[in-house]
Amino acid sequence: MTDANQEHNVRTLHYLGPEGTFTHQAALEAVAELSPLCGGITLQAEPDVTTILNAVQTRGDWGVIAWENNIEGYVVPNLDALIDAADVAAFARVGVDVSFDAFVRSTGAEREDGRKNRDVAANADELVAHCTTITAHPHGLAQCRRFAAEHGLKPTPAASNGAACRDLKPGQVALGPSICGELYGLTRVATAVEDYPGAHTDFLVLAPRGEVPELLNELKSRTGEFESIVTLIPLSTGPGVLANLLDVLRDAGLNMTSFISRPIKGRGGTYSFIATMDAAPWQERFRTALTEVAEHGDWVKTLAVYPRQERPNPPVYAWSLPNGGVRLDPDSETSATLSASGWQNETTTRKELLW
Amino acid sequence: MTDANQEHNVRTLHYLGPEGTFTHQAALEAVAELSPLCGGITLQAEPDVTTILNAVQTRGDWGVIAWENNIEGYVVPNLDALIDAADVAAFARVGVDVSFDAFVRSTGAEREDGRKNRDVAANADELVAHCTTITAHPHGLAQCRRFAAEHGLKPTPAASNGAACRDLKPGQVALGPSICGELYGLTRVATAVEDYPGAHTDFLVLAPRGEVPELLNELKSRTGEFESIVTLIPLSTGPGVLANLLDVLRDAGLNMTSFISRPIKGRGGTYSFIATMDAAPWQERFRTALTEVAEHGDWVKTLAVYPRQERPNPPVYAWSLPNGGVRLDPDSETSATLSASGWQNETTTRKELLW
């Protein structure tokens, strides 16, 4: 942070580079949402998450890290890093749709088109017809197989989607987030070319731990409900440790929306638990539960507190259950099972459950 | 399965290709461990996990899928696929160390050396000095940055480590599992070149659900303890749902070694829980707990039952806790916290916990 930045309270937000990745897109989301909290935000690309956490801890800057993807689950190395970071906490959560646009590098008029707007070029089919290869990170290539096959393009892996777009050569199609069009002056030839739509990644925005209460006070004046992510480490192991821990959260009326265990690094057989819940540290139910857990001698750390996004809370209907599996209907005389072949009688059910 | 295979009870084991990946190495582990259960195992590489599950369900073959990595966590898409597969269950779990060897393609005597044994070539330094680039999957390149930097090699991404080794050109170093040496006739120039040793991936071996009890009977005659993985879906949501579910497992004395929640695909706000526990379906404590859960009306499916690997079960010592966080020592008059700056008094502690 320069002196000039400090004067105007401009913050630096560090993200995992290179430019033109989905993380960059998330950082731009964060800028749009959080700029009102300060005098503006400047972005800085970093080579790895360790560098981002260090910038937050030692320079008092902000950082953004990938947290959870609806297909791949948690970004576990980032989760472990945040658990282990001494003076960092998250105060915002932003999401981006993992949707790929297809780009080519062309000259003259088409290029100007691509820079000016987010539309697909008028002569897109013709431009793609001149290409023979398609380039992206292997994950990107795997998610857009149909588009490659339809256009007879040979997959060519790149180190990242951002790098694929940046280094795009004539005769190649690159896949990347929509921001790559303007960023690298590319011509858009198709949008949302992923085989299965709906992938989504959430990111956490980090600040020095001591600054977070103040930031949350600002946010409280704009938003209603908050969510928190806490880590819990029981100081003993064995049957019932987790159940006893969760009884405390239940008895305090805390609703959890995500819960996972993680082995503690280098300590085989020991675990931490990471819970996301509908509560904030200034609420009585949060304080009661976490103080009780800590007084049991278990280890507790609040990783994140942020404004909660809208979400549904429906009952689970039988039709949404996966294939196979067993359910004994308590409201019915005849217990039954859901299986590939339909409802079966209780004898079969118990056999399937217990073998 | 051909008629000849059926006669000799030779099984086909499907794995995610191409040849020369860590999954291929896991498949070879499975062959070594499980061949005694049948008349031999032949391997078949597949393009994706869907094809593997289909082969198990429709052709009665076996499959192997990546399950959990100690750094990255669960392979969530595979977990979701197994939860949703109608007639598939796992009966074995095999692990491989994610350790990279470095290879070059050379001619004559050196090549013969590489094919014959797992030693590093005598003139390895000289062979590497002739190279300018290093190729692997981007994850492999990210895990072996130090080796690349030390030898001034420029990273060149490949679609998979197996493909990098298979397509290796003179002047390039490829990174891959040790099996790639023999597989592709390459010369080994270094072993275990990863920056951080200790990465490990576990895989599950799958069979048609109906065949699993018989396979487990075979395995019971050789091994002592078994582990099971079950999925549970509560048919309601809200505070306490998970705590109530886990109370049942605790009261039955079931020890869990892993526990995670997963949103149910396409049904925002609903969750399944995946628990790994020290119990098998033929044990009373397993039957009691799972029958009670199913009788509550919750959905239950046993995904895997397999011989348990040795593991430690130590208490958690304070020195193994992550940085920051709070613990109120119940055995001490003065409650204290673990933080980067050492032990602090209770006032600070509660402030850190609750902000």
Side-chain angles (χ1 to χ4, degrees):
Chain A
M1 215 157 43
T2 66
D3 284 348
N5 279 354
Q6 265 173 332
E7 265 172 42
H8 301 90
N9 199 22
V10 172
R11 308 303 304 256
T12 303
L13 177 65
H14 302 257
Y15 70 95
L16 183 66
E19 289 186 296
T21 60
F22 286 105
T23 309
H24 187 192
Q25 190 151 338
L28 292 169
E29 279 298 322
V31 169
E33 281 187 32
L34 302 172
S35 283
L37 294 184
C38 56
I41 300 172
T42 59
L43 293 182
Q44 187 169 324
E46 301 294 355
D48 50 49
V49 168
T50 307
T51 309
I52 296 170
L53 290 172
N54 282 342
V56 177
Q57 288 182 108
T58 64
R59 292 159 56 185
D61 288 348
W62 291 356
V64 60
I65 58 172
W67 188 249
E68 194 179 7
N69 173 276
N70 62 340
I71 311 294
E72 306 281 340
Y74 281 94
V75 183
V76 172
N78 291 0
L79 190 154
D80 286 345
L82 188 55
I83 290 174
D84 208 39
D87 290 306
V88 178
F91 66 100
R93 182 170 180 142
V94 295
V96 299
D97 292 330
V98 182
S99 181
F100 292 86
D101 284 2
F103 302 100
V104 298
R105 187 177 296 286
S106 57
T107 52
E110 297 94 344
R111 175 168 163 174
E112 283 309 310
D113 262 4
R115 295 179 74 112
K116 272 191 207 133
N117 60 53
R118 300 210 156 184
D119 292 346
V120 170
N123 58 341
D125 286 348
E126 191 192 327
L127 293 170
V128 177
H130 284 107
C131 294
T132 54
T133 60
I134 186 163
T135 179
H137 188 278
H139 290 178
L141 292 171
Q143 284 168 57
C144 306
R145 282 190 182 133
R146 196 187 308 129
F147 179 84
E150 277 170 10
H151 294 89
L153 299 167
K154 185 170 170 277
T156 308
S160 72
N161 299 315
C165 290
R166 181 191 63 203
D167 304 335
L168 186 57
K169 296 186 192 72
Q172 283 188 330
V173 173
L175 301 170
S178 63
I179 54 169
C180 286
E182 272 188 289
L183 199 57
Y184 297 120
L186 304 176
T187 300
R188 183 175 282 99
V189 292
T191 57
V193 299
E194 58 274 11
D195 294 347
Y196 304 99
H200 188 89
T201 303
D202 275 4
F203 296 75
L204 291 183
V205 186
L206 313 174
R209 212 167 172 80
E211 191 192 344
V212 168
E214 186 189 328
L215 290 165
L216 291 172
N217 266 335
E218 276 287 325
L219 290 166
K220 269 154 77 178
S221 61
R222 306 154 191 250
T223 338
E225 297 296 318
F226 280 74
E227 220 170 74
S228 299
I229 306 175
V230 299
T231 311
L232 312 155
I233 302 182
L235 289 199
S236 60
T237 57
V241 162
L242 178 54
N244 297 340
L245 200 66
L246 293 184
D247 284 350
V248 176
L249 305 188
R250 174 195 56 198
D251 296 347
L254 288 174
N255 186 43
M256 288 193 295
T257 55
S258 172
F259 190 86
I260 66 165
S261 69
R262 268 296 290 162
I264 297 176
K265 218 183 283 181
R267 296 282 301 157
T270 62
Y271 299 91
S272 64
F273 300 102
I274 300 93
T276 305
M277 45 201 194
D278 291 336
W282 52 84
Q283 292 170 325
E284 184 60 30
R285 61 181 193 275
F286 183 101
R287 284 205 298 272
T288 307
L290 267 69
T291 305
E292 191 176 335
V293 169
E295 280 173 355
H296 282 172
D298 297 336
W299 184 90
V300 181
K301 183 177 182 176
T302 305
L303 301 180
V305 182
Y306 51 83
R308 167 180 150 183
Q309 288 148 327
E310 277 309 304
R311 57 152 195 269
N313 190 29
V316 180
Y317 298 108
W319 55 262
S320 71
L321 292 170
N323 291 314
V326 166
R327 183 185 156 234
L328 304 174
D329 190 343
D331 302 328
S332 152
E333 291 281 314
T334 327
S335 292
T337 178
L338 289 169
S339 80
S341 50
W343 293 81
Q344 300 174 359
N345 67 32
E346 185 171 1
T347 319
T348 319
T349 295
R350 291 180 186 260
K351 191 160 159 275
E352 279 200 10
L353 171 63
L354 308 171
W355 272 316
Chain B
M1 212 158 41
T2 67
D3 285 348
N5 279 355
Q6 265 173 332
E7 264 171 43
H8 301 90
N9 199 22
V10 172
R11 308 304 304 256
T12 303
L13 177 65
H14 302 257
Y15 70 97
L16 182 66
E19 290 186 294
T21 61
F22 286 105
T23 310
H24 186 192
Q25 190 152 336
L28 291 169
E29 280 297 322
V31 168
E33 281 186 31
L34 302 172
S35 284
L37 294 183
C38 57
I41 299 172
T42 60
L43 293 183
Q44 187 169 324
E46 302 294 356
D48 50 49
V49 168
T50 308
T51 310
I52 296 170
L53 290 171
N54 283 343
V56 177
Q57 287 182 110
T58 63
R59 292 158 58 185
D61 288 348
W62 291 356
V64 60
I65 59 171
W67 188 248
E68 193 179 7
N69 173 276
N70 63 338
I71 311 293
E72 306 282 340
Y74 281 94
V75 183
V76 171
N78 292 358
L79 189 155
D80 285 345
L82 188 56
I83 290 174
D84 208 41
D87 289 307
V88 177
F91 66 99
R93 182 171 181 143
V94 295
V96 300
D97 291 328
V98 182
S99 181
F100 292 87
D101 284 2
F103 301 100
V104 298
R105 187 176 297 285
S106 57
T107 52
E110 298 93 344
R111 174 168 164 176
E112 283 307 311
D113 262 5
R115 295 180 73 111
K116 271 190 205 134
N117 59 53
R118 301 210 155 183
D119 292 346
V120 170
N123 58 342
D125 287 348
E126 192 192 327
L127 294 171
V128 176
H130 284 108
C131 294
T132 54
T133 60
I134 187 162
T135 179
H137 187 278
H139 290 178
L141 291 171
Q143 284 168 56
C144 305
R145 281 188 183 137
R146 196 187 309 130
F147 179 85
E150 276 171 8
H151 295 89
L153 300 167
K154 185 172 170 277
T156 309
S160 71
N161 299 315
C165 290
R166 181 192 62 204
D167 304 336
L168 186 57
K169 295 187 192 73
Q172 282 188 329
V173 173
L175 301 169
S178 63
I179 53 169
C180 286
E182 272 188 289
L183 199 58
Y184 297 119
L186 303 176
T187 300
R188 182 173 283 98
V189 291
T191 58
V193 299
E194 59 274 11
D195 295 347
Y196 304 99
H200 188 89
T201 304
D202 275 3
F203 295 75
L204 292 182
V205 186
L206 312 173
R209 214 169 170 79
E211 191 190 344
V212 168
E214 187 189 327
L215 290 165
L216 291 173
N217 266 334
E218 277 287 325
L219 289 166
K220 269 154 77 178
S221 62
R222 304 155 193 250
T223 337
E225 297 296 317
F226 281 74
E227 219 170 75
S228 299
I229 305 174
V230 300
T231 311
L232 311 156
I233 302 183
L235 290 199
S236 60
T237 57
V241 161
L242 178 54
N244 297 340
L245 198 67
L246 293 184
D247 283 351
V248 176
L249 305 187
R250 174 195 57 198
D251 295 347
L254 288 174
N255 186 43
M256 288 193 296
T257 55
S258 172
F259 191 86
I260 66 164
S261 69
R262 267 296 290 163
I264 298 176
K265 219 183 284 182
R267 296 282 301 158
T270 63
Y271 299 91
S272 64
F273 299 101
I274 300 92
T276 306
M277 46 202 192
D278 291 338
W282 52 86
Q283 292 171 323
E284 185 60 30
R285 62 182 190 275
F286 183 101
R287 283 203 300 273
T288 307
L290 268 69
T291 305
E292 192 176 333
V293 169
E295 281 173 355
H296 281 172
D298 298 336
W299 184 90
V300 181
K301 183 176 183 176
T302 305
L303 300 180
V305 183
Y306 51 84
R308 166 181 150 182
Q309 287 148 327
E310 277 308 305
R311 58 156 193 267
N313 191 29
V316 180
Y317 298 109
W319 55 261
S320 70
L321 292 170
N323 292 315
V326 167
R327 182 185 157 236
L328 304 174
D329 190 343
D331 301 328
S332 152
E333 291 282 312
T334 328
S335 290
T337 178
L338 290 169
S339 81
S341 51
W343 293 81
Q344 300 172 357
N345 68 32
E346 185 170 0
T347 318
T348 318
T349 296
R350 291 182 186 259
K351 190 159 160 276
E352 280 202 9
L353 171 61
L354 306 171
W355 273 316

